Amino acid sequence: MELLKKIVEAFGPSGREDEVREVIKNEIAPYVDEIKVDNMGNLICRKKGNGKKLMMAAHMDEIGIMVTHIDKNGFVRFAAVGGVYPQNCVHRAVKFENGTKGVISGEGKTAIRDWNADKMYVDIGAESYEEAAKMVAIGDMATFCSEFIVMGKKVSGKTMDDRVACYALLEAVKKIKECPNDFYAVFTTQEELGLRGAKVAAQVVEPDMAIAVDVSSVGDTPESNIVDLTLGKGPSVKIKDASYIISPQARDFMIKCANEAGIPYQLEAASFGGTDTGAIMLTGTGVPSATTSIPCRYIHSPQETVHLDDVENEIKFLVKMIETKV
Ligand code: CO
Ligand code: ZN
């Protein structure tokens, strides 16, 4: 749990994944044969094997905001970095890379339901442009600043999307006993801006099969939209989202692995969202690919919430796939 907390709390908006990468790199180093960082900042870790190339990918970046303007009274205007939903930002705390903290609010004359990035600002406590400009600069990024909390078998905090999957992939790598595939655990960058890191990582690795590990929205809270995914019932085999449709080879491989290892899983078909699979699948001559997700409540909020049983089952699922010949 301490390691999950550490990975979740690391600062890493899209394009500034350095801190997350350092934590993962130090943890994974004793368990892999090769580590490289490509020009996009993807962390590519190889465990050598004689078989085909199997790549798994989890994204390191989180959503955030970027300073675009500081007004004369010291209030900071910003642009969204990734899918920042105004309703999740109302009077929430954020933290910049240099430690400056602030509260997000919006223009008083505009109803909260009409807030968008243009109507919102960060109050960093400054009282003038001059004071604020000493604290933050144009282009600086901030991310949600929230508490990592344990609620029975559930945990909640910022960046479960997608650090809980980074954690699961890292833990899976630690447990590998046999390696029949040439295996690559890849921790990608800039997913939240449109799967940018994965696109390059897949060209570097040239996998024969790829599986992205991410989180997915659930339909198990009061009066929620109909989504056939529930916290605690196991990781998903994601059939589709807005970025891809599963490859038959990947689907058969995943379901065979889950059944053989007795891992509970949920079939998921989403009409929205995207994962690294959408980019990886379209590289080279095409890559048989799929996603497995850890069910998650309140995605892209400061308190993304997952079930620890799902995390454990995802780790077992990944280990089984890594140890099965593609
Ligand atoms: Co996301
Ligand atoms: Zn994600």
Side-chain angles (χ1 to χ4, degrees):
M1 192 92 88
E2 274 312 299
L3 179 59
L4 174 61
K5 184 170 185 280
K6 192 174 172 187
I7 295 174
V8 158
E9 289 185 342
F11 179 85
S14 307
R16 292 311 303 262
E17 297 88 353
D18 323 46
E19 194 179 316
V20 191
R21 188 169 54 239
E22 277 312 299
V23 174
I24 296 172
K25 199 171 156 186
N26 291 332
E27 281 287 328
I28 207 166
Y31 302 94
V32 293
D33 301 313
E34 267 175 22
I35 292 184
K36 66 179 164 194
V37 178
D38 69 17
N39 292 332
M40 288 295 287
N42 297 300
L43 178 65
I44 301 175
C45 309
R46 179 182 185 195
K47 187 136 174 94
K48 287 183 187 165
N50 293 323
K52 290 183 175 175
K53 286 185 188 174
L54 171 65
M55 167 175 167
M56 287 184 181
H59 68 91
M60 296 185 286
D61 62 314
E62 63 183 299
I63 57 164
I65 58 171
M66 181 185 280
V67 178
T68 53
H69 173 75
I70 302 169
D71 77 15
K72 64 180 190 316
N73 296 317
F75 291 103
V76 174
R77 295 288 180 154
F78 62 86
V81 177
V84 176
Y85 309 131
Q87 69 270 27
N88 290 340
C89 296
V90 180
H91 305 137
R92 304 305 298 245
V94 291
K95 190 176 166 185
F96 289 85
E97 194 170 11
N98 66 9
T100 299
K101 290 181 183 172
V103 176
I104 300 181
S105 191
E107 294 176 1
K109 287 179 181 165
T110 308
I112 288 178
R113 66 172 180 279
D114 295 326
W115 283 7
N116 55 39
D118 290 343
K119 301 282 181 197
M120 301 171 82
Y121 60 84
V122 191
D123 179 349
I124 56 170
E127 285 165 13
S128 66
Y129 170 85
E130 289 71 23
E131 197 185 335
K134 285 183 194 132
M135 300 162 75
V136 297
I138 303 295
D140 281 1
M141 286 192 276
T143 62
F144 287 129
C145 174
S146 64
E147 199 184 342
F148 182 91
I149 56 175
V150 181
M151 313 181 294
K153 295 201 84 176
K154 302 184 184 84
V155 289
S156 175
K158 74 169 186 123
T159 75
M160 290 299 168
D161 177 10
D162 193 26
R163 309 283 173 74
V164 72
C166 291
Y167 170 79
L169 182 52
L170 174 57
E171 289 300 297
V173 168
K174 290 180 182 174
K175 292 181 165 63
I176 300 172
K177 291 198 189 72
E178 302 153 43
C179 199
N181 307 302
D182 197 10
F183 177 67
Y184 293 79
V186 180
F187 300 89
T188 63
T189 57
Q190 300 188 37
E191 190 269 356
E192 300 290 358
L193 293 180
L195 326 177
R196 294 179 187 173
K199 196 172 193 173
V200 171
Q203 293 176 54
V204 174
V205 173
E206 298 185 308
D208 295 298
M209 185 181 286
I211 298 184
V213 193
D214 214 314
V215 296
S216 285
S217 296
V218 291
D220 64 351
T221 50
E223 305 290 331
S224 68
N225 292 323
I226 296 172
V227 176
D228 269 5
L229 204 62
T230 305
L231 240 60
K233 289 194 173 171
S236 79
V237 171
K238 195 168 193 170
I239 311 298
K240 89 171 264 306
D241 61 22
S243 71
Y244 82 98
I245 288 180
I246 198 168
S247 308
Q249 304 96 307
R251 179 185 171 134
D252 292 350
F253 176 74
M254 291 173 89
I255 290 176
K256 182 184 85 164
C257 287
N259 287 336
E260 278 179 17
I263 291 154
Y265 67 90
Q266 307 182 66
L267 291 174
E268 179 195 358
S271 53
F272 53 87
T275 65
D276 279 343
T277 304
I280 298 167
M281 182 177 264
L282 302 180
T283 54
T285 52
V287 182
S289 318
T291 299
T292 173
S293 282
I294 294 169
C296 184
R297 291 179 184 164
Y298 324 126
I299 288 183
H300 289 198
S301 85
Q303 297 295 162
E304 297 175 330
T305 303
V306 298
H307 196 299
L308 290 170
D309 286 352
D310 293 332
V311 181
E312 281 312 306
N313 281 316
E314 185 72 281
I315 295 169
K316 285 184 197 155
F317 190 20
L318 300 180
V319 171
K320 175 66 185 175
M321 289 192 280
I322 297 165
E323 294 186 337
T324 303
K325 208 168 189 313
V326 167

